[in-house]
Amino acid sequence: MSEDLTIRLEIEAQVARFVALINGDDVDAFAALYTEDALIMVPDHETLVGLAGAVQFARRAQARRPARLALVTHEVGGSGNMAWERGSSQWVAADGTVLDPGKYVVIWRRTNRGWQLHRDIMNADRPTTAR
């Protein structure tokens, strides 16, 4: 298997874990997906930093319930211990209505804990609803 395909499969597995955890209740497990010096750049908010920032991000997501986050990976590239991912996102209401469609880019770093989000930036496709 090529390095590109291996990285893509590993990142996609982490994205699936990210979605499950952000839509779940384990804030600490979610935060552990990020590097200790991560930057999380969310629309209409200050940059969130590190594991404490990841906890804040998870709590903001929990406040959006019953809406759930859905992500689709469009591209993955990288080599060695660094990778990037481009994708699209949707918050989906309990009735299936799509809220806040958007897009994102993540820089991933492979650490002794596997692939972790190192830089996470997201943008809304239209004015956003309550965050």
Side-chain angles (χ1 to χ4, degrees), residues 13-28:
Q14 284 298 87
V15 171
R17 182 163 166 70
F18 178 99
V19 169
L21 288 169
I22 202 162
N23 289 325
D25 296 319
D26 192 340
V27 172
D28 293 329

Side-chain angles (χ1 to χ4, degrees), residues 27 35 47 49 51 55 57 62 84 86 91 102 108 118 121 129:
V27 172
T35 61
T47 298
V49 179
L51 300 179
V55 167
F57 181 45
Q62 287 177 336
W84 58 270
R86 180 186 68 84
W91 283 96
W108 293 85
H118 183 57
I121 184 167
T129 58

Side-chain angles (χ1 to χ4, degrees), residues 66-68 70 90-99 126:
R68 312 289 278 177
Q90 295 181 336
W91 283 96
V92 181
D95 67 0
T97 302
V98 174
L99 311 170
R126 61 182 187 223

Side-chain angles (χ1 to χ4, degrees), residues 25-84:
D25 296 319
D26 192 340
V27 172
D28 293 329
F30 175 80
L33 295 173
Y34 285 86
T35 61
E36 290 184 16
D37 57 344
L39 298 178
I40 306 165
M41 295 164 266
V42 181
D44 304 324
H45 289 286
E46 72 287 351
T47 298
L48 303 171
V49 179
L51 300 179
V55 167
Q56 275 186 282
F57 181 45
R59 289 197 172 125
R60 287 179 184 169
Q62 287 177 336
R64 298 193 69 159
R65 304 248 172 94
R68 312 289 278 177
L69 180 65
L71 299 177
V72 175
T73 298
H74 297 289
E75 293 181 281
V76 174
S79 65
N81 292 330
M82 297 298 289
W84 58 270

